[in-house]
Amino acid sequence: MKVRYPIADAALAGSLERAYPIRIQEIAFIPHGDSAYSYKLVCGGGAAYYLKLYDHANDRQRSGIDRLPRYLPLIRRLHRDGVFPNAARPVPNISGGLSSECGGYTLVLYGFIEGETLADAYPFPDGLLEEVAEVMAGIHRLASVAAGVGVASESFELAFADRLESCLSALERTDFAGSPVQLALRALISPERARIRGLLRLVRELRREAVADEREYVLCHGDLWGGNLIRGERGLSVLDWENALLAPPEFDWFGYIGDRFERFAAAYERRRGRPVALDGGLLRFYAYRHHLRNLTNWLLNILGRNRDDAQSAHDLDLIAHHCLNRLDAIEPDAARAEREFGRPGRS
Protein backbone atom coordinates (compact mmCIF):
# COMPACT_ATOMS: atom_id res chain seq x y z
CA MET A 1 0.00 0.00 0.00
CA LYS A 2 1.21 3.50 -0.80
CA VAL A 3 -0.80 5.21 1.95
CA ARG A 4 -0.38 4.05 5.54
CA TYR A 5 -3.14 2.45 7.61
CA PRO A 6 -4.97 5.07 9.74
CA ILE A 7 -3.54 4.20 13.13
CA ALA A 8 -1.13 6.15 15.33
CA ASP A 9 2.31 4.60 15.77
CA ALA A 10 1.84 4.51 19.54
CA ALA A 11 -1.41 2.53 19.23
CA LEU A 12 0.16 0.10 16.75
CA ALA A 13 3.19 -0.34 19.03
CA GLY A 14 0.87 -1.09 21.94
CA SER A 15 -0.90 -3.83 19.97
CA LEU A 16 2.40 -5.35 18.92
CA GLU A 17 3.90 -5.32 22.41
CA ARG A 18 0.81 -7.02 23.82
CA ALA A 19 1.00 -9.72 21.15
CA TYR A 20 4.77 -10.28 20.86
CA PRO A 21 7.67 -10.33 23.35
CA ILE A 22 9.24 -7.17 21.90
CA ARG A 23 9.78 -3.54 22.91
CA ILE A 24 9.49 -1.19 19.97
CA GLN A 25 11.76 1.80 19.54
CA GLU A 26 10.81 2.85 16.02
CA ILE A 27 8.09 2.15 13.44
CA ALA A 28 8.65 3.05 9.78
CA PHE A 29 5.93 2.65 7.16
CA ILE A 30 7.07 0.94 3.93
CA PRO A 31 5.04 1.96 0.83
CA HIS A 32 5.27 -1.49 -0.76
CA GLY A 33 2.79 -3.91 -2.34
CA ASP A 34 -0.99 -3.80 -2.25
CA SER A 35 -2.09 -6.91 -0.36
CA ALA A 36 -1.40 -5.47 3.14
CA TYR A 37 0.28 -2.55 4.93
CA SER A 38 4.02 -2.96 5.50
CA TYR A 39 6.27 -1.61 8.27
CA LYS A 40 9.81 -1.97 9.54
CA LEU A 41 10.12 -2.23 13.32
CA VAL A 42 13.30 -1.48 15.25
CA CYS A 43 13.24 -2.97 18.74
CA GLY A 44 15.41 -3.22 21.81
CA GLY A 45 18.93 -4.48 21.21
CA GLY A 46 18.75 -3.39 17.58
CA ALA A 47 16.53 -6.30 16.52
CA ALA A 48 14.52 -5.52 13.38
CA TYR A 49 11.27 -7.02 12.11
CA TYR A 50 9.03 -6.71 9.08
CA LEU A 51 5.34 -6.27 9.85
CA LYS A 52 2.34 -6.90 7.60
CA LEU A 53 -0.96 -5.41 8.75
CA TYR A 54 -4.22 -6.66 7.21
CA ASP A 55 -7.26 -4.37 7.41
CA HIS A 56 -10.48 -6.24 8.28
CA ALA A 57 -12.52 -3.55 6.50
CA ASN A 58 -10.85 -4.35 3.17
CA ASP A 59 -12.29 -7.46 1.49
CA ARG A 60 -9.08 -8.23 -0.39
CA GLN A 61 -7.04 -8.05 2.78
CA ARG A 62 -9.60 -10.25 4.55
CA SER A 63 -8.98 -12.86 1.87
CA GLY A 64 -5.26 -12.47 2.62
CA ILE A 65 -6.00 -13.29 6.26
CA ASP A 66 -7.89 -16.40 5.15
CA ARG A 67 -4.78 -17.58 3.28
CA LEU A 68 -2.42 -17.22 6.25
CA PRO A 69 -2.95 -20.80 7.54
CA ARG A 70 -2.13 -22.09 4.06
CA TYR A 71 1.42 -20.77 3.85
CA LEU A 72 2.72 -19.57 7.24
CA PRO A 73 3.20 -23.17 8.50
CA LEU A 74 5.02 -23.92 5.26
CA ILE A 75 7.64 -21.21 5.59
CA ARG A 76 8.08 -22.00 9.30
CA ARG A 77 8.76 -25.61 8.24
CA LEU A 78 11.23 -24.49 5.57
CA HIS A 79 13.21 -22.70 8.29
CA ARG A 80 12.88 -25.35 10.95
CA ASP A 81 14.11 -28.13 8.68
CA GLY A 82 16.70 -25.96 6.91
CA VAL A 83 15.43 -27.00 3.47
CA PHE A 84 14.91 -23.41 2.27
CA PRO A 85 16.23 -21.03 4.93
CA ASN A 86 16.06 -18.00 2.61
CA ALA A 87 12.28 -17.85 2.91
CA ALA A 88 10.96 -14.97 5.02
CA ARG A 89 10.81 -16.21 8.65
CA PRO A 90 7.49 -15.78 10.51
CA VAL A 91 7.87 -14.82 14.17
CA PRO A 92 5.54 -16.54 16.70
CA ASN A 93 3.50 -14.39 19.06
CA ILE A 94 3.43 -14.94 22.83
CA SER A 95 0.88 -17.75 22.37
CA GLY A 96 2.92 -19.49 19.69
CA GLY A 97 0.65 -18.40 16.84
CA LEU A 98 1.93 -17.01 13.57
CA SER A 99 -0.66 -14.22 13.29
CA SER A 100 -2.33 -11.91 15.81
CA GLU A 101 -5.84 -10.48 15.54
CA CYS A 102 -6.11 -7.01 17.09
CA GLY A 103 -9.61 -5.60 16.78
CA GLY A 104 -9.97 -4.22 13.28
CA TYR A 105 -6.74 -5.64 11.88
CA THR A 106 -4.49 -8.72 11.89
CA LEU A 107 -0.71 -8.61 12.32
CA VAL A 108 1.97 -10.96 10.96
CA LEU A 109 5.57 -10.43 12.03
CA TYR A 110 8.68 -11.61 10.16
CA GLY A 111 12.38 -11.37 10.76
CA PHE A 112 13.69 -8.36 8.82
CA ILE A 113 15.97 -9.28 5.91
CA GLU A 114 18.66 -6.72 5.23
CA GLY A 115 19.46 -6.17 1.60
CA GLU A 116 18.23 -4.67 -1.65
CA THR A 117 14.89 -5.52 -3.21
CA LEU A 118 14.98 -6.41 -6.90
CA ALA A 119 11.77 -4.51 -7.69
CA ASP A 120 13.72 -1.86 -9.60
CA ALA A 121 16.41 -4.17 -11.01
CA TYR A 122 14.62 -4.89 -14.32
CA PRO A 123 15.76 -5.95 -16.80
CA PHE A 124 17.71 -8.46 -14.73
CA PRO A 125 21.35 -8.92 -15.81
CA ASP A 126 22.01 -12.41 -17.15
CA GLY A 127 23.72 -13.60 -13.96
CA LEU A 128 20.86 -12.40 -11.77
CA LEU A 129 18.27 -13.94 -14.10
CA GLU A 130 20.04 -17.29 -13.78
CA GLU A 131 20.19 -16.92 -10.00
CA VAL A 132 16.42 -16.35 -9.88
CA ALA A 133 15.91 -19.45 -12.05
CA GLU A 134 17.99 -21.50 -9.62
CA VAL A 135 15.98 -20.20 -6.65
CA MET A 136 12.76 -21.11 -8.42
CA ALA A 137 14.03 -24.59 -9.21
CA GLY A 138 14.98 -25.06 -5.55
CA ILE A 139 11.45 -24.15 -4.47
CA HIS A 140 9.95 -26.50 -7.06
CA ARG A 141 11.83 -29.42 -5.49
CA LEU A 142 9.93 -29.04 -2.20
CA ALA A 143 6.55 -30.51 -3.16
CA SER A 144 6.72 -33.23 -0.51
CA VAL A 145 7.45 -30.70 2.24
CA ALA A 146 4.52 -28.56 1.10
CA ALA A 147 2.17 -31.53 1.00
CA GLY A 148 3.23 -32.46 4.53
CA VAL A 149 1.98 -29.14 5.95
CA GLY A 150 -1.23 -29.05 3.94
CA VAL A 151 -0.43 -26.54 1.22
CA ALA A 152 -3.42 -26.34 -1.14
CA SER A 153 -3.37 -27.77 -4.66
CA GLU A 154 -4.20 -25.78 -7.77
CA SER A 155 -7.89 -25.58 -8.66
CA PHE A 156 -7.43 -23.11 -11.55
CA GLU A 157 -9.93 -20.81 -9.87
CA LEU A 158 -11.38 -17.73 -11.55
CA ALA A 159 -13.12 -16.31 -8.51
CA PHE A 160 -12.43 -12.76 -9.67
CA ALA A 161 -14.26 -13.11 -13.00
CA ASP A 162 -17.76 -12.07 -11.90
CA ARG A 163 -16.36 -9.07 -10.04
CA LEU A 164 -14.43 -7.99 -13.11
CA GLU A 165 -17.64 -8.14 -15.16
CA SER A 166 -19.40 -6.06 -12.49
CA CYS A 167 -16.67 -3.41 -12.53
CA LEU A 168 -16.80 -3.14 -16.32
CA SER A 169 -20.59 -2.82 -16.20
CA ALA A 170 -20.37 -0.11 -13.53
CA LEU A 171 -17.96 1.90 -15.69
CA GLU A 172 -20.33 1.58 -18.65
CA ARG A 173 -23.32 3.09 -16.86
CA THR A 174 -24.52 6.29 -18.50
CA ASP A 175 -25.03 7.86 -15.08
CA PHE A 176 -21.52 6.96 -13.87
CA ALA A 177 -20.06 9.73 -11.71
CA GLY A 178 -17.10 9.83 -9.41
CA SER A 179 -13.87 11.49 -8.38
CA PRO A 180 -11.40 12.76 -10.98
CA VAL A 181 -9.39 9.54 -10.56
CA GLN A 182 -12.49 7.42 -11.14
CA LEU A 183 -13.37 9.42 -14.25
CA ALA A 184 -9.81 8.95 -15.50
CA LEU A 185 -10.22 5.23 -14.85
CA ARG A 186 -13.35 5.17 -16.99
CA ALA A 187 -11.54 6.93 -19.83
CA LEU A 188 -8.65 4.45 -19.60
CA ILE A 189 -10.83 1.33 -19.53
CA SER A 190 -13.46 2.36 -22.09
CA PRO A 191 -11.44 1.51 -25.25
CA GLU A 192 -10.19 -1.72 -23.63
CA ARG A 193 -13.53 -3.24 -22.60
CA ALA A 194 -13.96 -5.51 -25.63
CA ARG A 195 -10.42 -6.85 -25.33
CA ILE A 196 -10.77 -7.47 -21.59
CA ARG A 197 -14.01 -9.40 -22.08
CA GLY A 198 -12.44 -11.38 -24.92
CA LEU A 199 -9.50 -12.35 -22.72
CA LEU A 200 -11.87 -13.34 -19.95
CA ARG A 201 -13.62 -15.74 -22.36
CA LEU A 202 -10.22 -17.09 -23.43
CA VAL A 203 -9.13 -17.70 -19.85
CA ARG A 204 -12.33 -19.65 -19.17
CA GLU A 205 -11.62 -21.83 -22.21
CA LEU A 206 -8.00 -22.36 -21.15
CA ARG A 207 -9.20 -23.30 -17.68
CA ARG A 208 -11.33 -26.12 -19.05
CA GLU A 209 -8.30 -27.52 -20.86
CA ALA A 210 -6.09 -27.14 -17.78
CA VAL A 211 -8.50 -28.97 -15.49
CA ALA A 212 -8.69 -31.89 -17.93
CA ASP A 213 -4.91 -32.19 -18.31
CA GLU A 214 -2.58 -34.20 -16.06
CA ARG A 215 0.61 -32.46 -14.99
CA GLU A 216 3.30 -32.82 -12.37
CA TYR A 217 2.59 -30.54 -9.43
CA VAL A 218 5.49 -28.78 -7.73
CA LEU A 219 5.64 -26.24 -4.91
CA CYS A 220 5.16 -22.90 -6.65
CA HIS A 221 5.75 -19.56 -4.96
CA GLY A 222 3.17 -17.94 -7.23
CA ASP A 223 4.58 -14.39 -7.31
CA LEU A 224 8.33 -14.65 -7.75
CA TRP A 225 8.95 -11.16 -9.14
CA GLY A 226 11.68 -8.73 -8.12
CA GLY A 227 9.63 -7.05 -5.40
CA ASN A 228 9.50 -10.35 -3.53
CA LEU A 229 13.24 -11.00 -3.84
CA ILE A 230 15.91 -9.42 -1.66
CA ARG A 231 19.62 -9.70 -2.38
CA GLY A 232 21.59 -9.82 0.85
CA GLU A 233 24.51 -11.55 2.52
CA ARG A 234 22.82 -14.95 2.21
CA GLY A 235 22.06 -14.56 -1.49
CA LEU A 236 18.48 -14.16 -2.67
CA SER A 237 15.78 -14.27 0.00
CA VAL A 238 12.13 -14.82 -0.92
CA LEU A 239 9.23 -12.84 0.57
CA ASP A 240 5.42 -12.95 0.34
CA TRP A 241 4.49 -16.62 0.01
CA GLU A 242 0.74 -15.97 0.15
CA ASN A 243 0.16 -17.42 -3.35
CA ALA A 244 2.11 -20.63 -2.66
CA LEU A 245 0.41 -23.67 -4.19
CA LEU A 246 1.08 -27.19 -5.33
CA ALA A 247 0.65 -26.47 -9.02
CA PRO A 248 2.16 -27.03 -12.47
CA PRO A 249 5.51 -25.25 -12.78
CA GLU A 250 4.01 -22.96 -15.44
CA PHE A 251 2.46 -21.06 -12.50
CA ASP A 252 5.93 -19.66 -11.80
CA TRP A 253 7.44 -19.91 -15.29
CA PHE A 254 4.97 -17.58 -16.99
CA GLY A 255 6.61 -14.48 -15.48
CA TYR A 256 9.90 -15.24 -17.25
CA ILE A 257 8.87 -16.19 -20.79
CA GLY A 258 10.37 -13.14 -22.49
CA ASP A 259 13.23 -12.99 -24.97
CA ARG A 260 15.78 -14.51 -22.55
CA PHE A 261 13.71 -17.47 -21.40
CA GLU A 262 16.31 -19.79 -22.97
CA ARG A 263 18.95 -18.59 -20.51
CA PHE A 264 16.47 -18.79 -17.63
CA ALA A 265 15.44 -22.33 -18.61
CA ALA A 266 19.06 -23.53 -18.87
CA ALA A 267 19.83 -22.37 -15.32
CA TYR A 268 16.56 -23.85 -14.05
CA GLU A 269 17.37 -27.21 -15.66
CA ARG A 270 20.83 -27.32 -14.11
CA ARG A 271 19.41 -26.76 -10.61
CA ARG A 272 16.33 -28.94 -11.00
CA GLY A 273 18.10 -31.79 -12.76
CA ARG A 274 15.44 -32.25 -15.45
CA PRO A 275 14.47 -30.53 -18.70
CA VAL A 276 11.88 -27.80 -18.98
CA ALA A 277 8.85 -29.16 -20.84
CA LEU A 278 6.09 -26.59 -20.75
CA ASP A 279 2.48 -26.40 -21.82
CA GLY A 280 1.67 -23.29 -23.87
CA GLY A 281 -1.98 -23.33 -22.83
CA LEU A 282 -1.03 -23.26 -19.16
CA LEU A 283 1.42 -20.42 -19.75
CA ARG A 284 -1.33 -18.40 -21.39
CA PHE A 285 -3.84 -19.28 -18.69
CA TYR A 286 -1.54 -18.15 -15.89
CA ALA A 287 -0.33 -15.01 -17.67
CA TYR A 288 -3.79 -13.75 -18.63
CA ARG A 289 -5.30 -14.77 -15.29
CA HIS A 290 -2.55 -12.89 -13.44
CA HIS A 291 -3.20 -9.63 -15.26
CA LEU A 292 -6.98 -9.91 -15.22
CA ARG A 293 -7.00 -10.70 -11.51
CA ASN A 294 -4.70 -7.75 -10.80
CA LEU A 295 -6.91 -5.55 -12.96
CA THR A 296 -9.95 -6.63 -10.96
CA ASN A 297 -8.28 -5.83 -7.64
CA TRP A 298 -7.17 -2.38 -8.79
CA LEU A 299 -10.59 -1.60 -10.25
CA LEU A 300 -12.25 -2.58 -6.97
CA ASN A 301 -9.74 -0.45 -5.08
CA ILE A 302 -10.49 2.67 -7.11
CA LEU A 303 -14.24 2.12 -7.25
CA GLY A 304 -14.74 1.58 -3.54
CA ARG A 305 -12.05 0.12 -1.32
CA ASN A 306 -9.52 2.93 -1.16
CA ARG A 307 -9.57 5.44 1.67
CA ASP A 308 -7.38 7.98 -0.13
CA ASP A 309 -7.17 9.53 -3.62
CA ALA A 310 -3.40 9.13 -3.60
CA GLN A 311 -3.79 5.36 -3.33
CA SER A 312 -6.35 5.42 -6.15
CA ALA A 313 -3.99 7.43 -8.36
CA HIS A 314 -1.29 4.85 -7.68
CA ASP A 315 -3.66 1.99 -8.58
CA LEU A 316 -4.65 3.79 -11.79
CA ASP A 317 -0.99 3.98 -12.76
CA LEU A 318 -0.61 0.25 -12.07
CA ILE A 319 -3.53 -0.54 -14.39
CA ALA A 320 -2.00 1.53 -17.18
CA HIS A 321 1.67 0.54 -16.80
CA HIS A 322 1.68 -2.86 -15.11
CA CYS A 323 -1.38 -4.47 -16.69
CA LEU A 324 -2.92 -3.14 -19.91
CA ASN A 325 0.43 -2.38 -21.51
CA ARG A 326 1.64 -5.96 -20.92
CA LEU A 327 -1.19 -7.91 -22.52
CA ASP A 328 0.08 -7.71 -26.11
CA ALA A 329 3.37 -9.49 -25.28
CA ILE A 330 1.79 -12.60 -23.76
CA GLU A 331 0.85 -14.40 -26.98
CA PRO A 332 4.19 -13.98 -28.84
CA ASP A 333 6.20 -14.76 -25.70
CA ALA A 334 4.17 -17.88 -24.95
CA ALA A 335 4.34 -19.05 -28.57
CA ARG A 336 8.14 -18.67 -28.66
CA ALA A 337 8.57 -20.52 -25.35
CA GLU A 338 6.26 -23.28 -26.58
CA ARG A 339 8.21 -23.72 -29.82
CA GLU A 340 11.48 -24.13 -27.97
CA PHE A 341 10.41 -25.89 -24.78
CA GLY A 342 6.98 -27.34 -25.52
CA ARG A 343 5.97 -30.58 -23.85
CA PRO A 344 6.09 -33.51 -26.31
CA GLY A 345 2.64 -34.46 -27.49
CA ARG A 346 1.17 -31.00 -26.78
CA SER A 347 0.53 -28.35 -29.43
Side-chain angles (χ1 to χ4, degrees):
M1 306 297 287
K2 291 298 180 183
V3 178
R4 63 190 300 148
Y5 182 73
I7 185 174
D9 286 352
L12 179 55
S15 293
L16 285 160
E17 290 177 351
R18 287 189 292 272
Y20 296 90
I22 57 176
R23 289 294 175 265
I24 296 171
Q25 296 178 345
E26 181 181 348
I27 297 178
F29 176 66
I30 302 173
H32 170 75
D34 63 355
S35 63
Y37 297 87
S38 299
Y39 300 82
K40 179 180 180 180
L41 311 179
V42 178
C43 300
Y49 299 94
Y50 178 74
L51 171 68
K52 295 191 78 170
L53 183 155
Y54 296 84
D55 179 7
H56 294 182
N58 183 302
D59 63 299
R60 186 186 183 196
Q61 295 189 30
R62 287 198 307 271
S63 70
I65 295 169
D66 292 340
R67 288 195 295 270
L68 295 175
R70 188 174 78 187
Y71 67 90
L72 289 178
L74 166 67
I75 53 179
R76 177 171 60 179
R77 176 78 174 271
L78 298 181
H79 274 275
R80 188 190 72 191
D81 293 357
V83 293
F84 196 84
N86 280 18
R89 175 180 60 86
V91 177
N93 59 27
I94 58 176
S95 301
L98 298 179
S99 63
S100 303
E101 183 176 339
C102 303
Y105 52 90
T106 290
L107 305 174
V108 180
L109 199 61
Y110 299 89
F112 193 84
I113 300 172
E114 297 289 350
E116 179 184 6
T117 176
L118 302 186
D120 298 322
Y122 291 99
F124 290 167
D126 287 346
L128 180 56
L129 183 70
E130 293 169 351
E131 192 174 354
V132 173
E134 292 169 358
V135 168
M136 183 186 292
I139 294 172
H140 286 186
R141 298 175 66 173
L142 300 174
S144 61
V145 177
V149 294
V151 172
S153 292
E154 176 65 276
S155 64
F156 304 100
E157 58 83 17
L158 295 175
F160 67 88
D162 289 343
R163 304 185 85 181
L164 176 53
E165 292 278 15
S166 295
C167 289
L168 295 176
S169 296
L171 291 169
E172 287 173 329
R173 289 173 57 99
T174 57
D175 61 347
F176 180 84
S179 68
V181 175
Q182 290 170 334
L183 293 174
L185 171 67
R186 186 185 191 186
L188 176 65
I189 294 298
S190 180
E192 300 285 348
R193 287 197 303 263
R195 175 164 69 153
I196 293 167
R197 288 194 167 109
L199 292 177
L200 194 50
R201 289 192 295 272
L202 174 61
V203 166
R204 286 177 168 135
E205 294 170 5
L206 292 170
R207 181 188 185 276
R208 285 193 289 271
E209 297 174 6
V211 169
D213 194 18
E214 293 186 5
R215 289 289 275 143
E216 173 199 24
Y217 279 19
V218 301
L219 173 61
C220 289
H221 177 273
D223 195 16
L224 203 65
W225 77 288
N228 289 332
L229 295 165
I230 290 182
R231 169 169 270 176
E233 293 181 355
R234 299 184 302 171
L236 289 183
S237 293
V238 182
L239 314 179
D240 287 344
W241 290 71
E242 66 180 48
N243 294 306
L245 276 179
L246 289 165
E250 285 86 351
F251 186 28
D252 280 337
W253 286 341
F254 84 85
Y256 291 89
I257 59 171
D259 58 6
R260 290 185 297 153
F261 185 68
E262 297 87 349
R263 182 176 291 273
F264 181 92
Y268 178 95
E269 290 174 343
R270 288 194 298 270
R271 177 71 174 88
R272 185 87 198 281
R274 64 180 66 180
V276 167
L278 56 81
D279 184 301
L282 280 173
L283 284 181
R284 293 173 177 89
F285 171 81
Y286 282 122
Y288 287 124
R289 185 181 73 166
H290 172 78
H291 288 300
L292 292 176
R293 185 158 56 189
N294 280 346
L295 173 62
T296 304
N297 282 321
W298 294 326
L299 288 173
L300 289 167
N301 286 351
I302 297 170
L303 292 175
R305 287 176 180 151
N306 286 343
R307 303 169 184 262
D308 190 284
D309 284 347
Q311 182 68 48
S312 291
H314 172 70
D315 292 335
L316 182 65
D317 181 72
L318 291 175
I319 291 172
H321 299 111
H322 294 270
C323 179
L324 297 180
N325 68 321
R326 299 185 178 184
L327 295 175
D328 287 341
I330 293 174
E331 181 57 38
D333 285 347
R336 182 169 58 247
E338 189 174 25
R339 284 194 303 270
E340 299 183 11
F341 296 96
R343 179 158 56 111
R346 296 288 290 177
S347 59

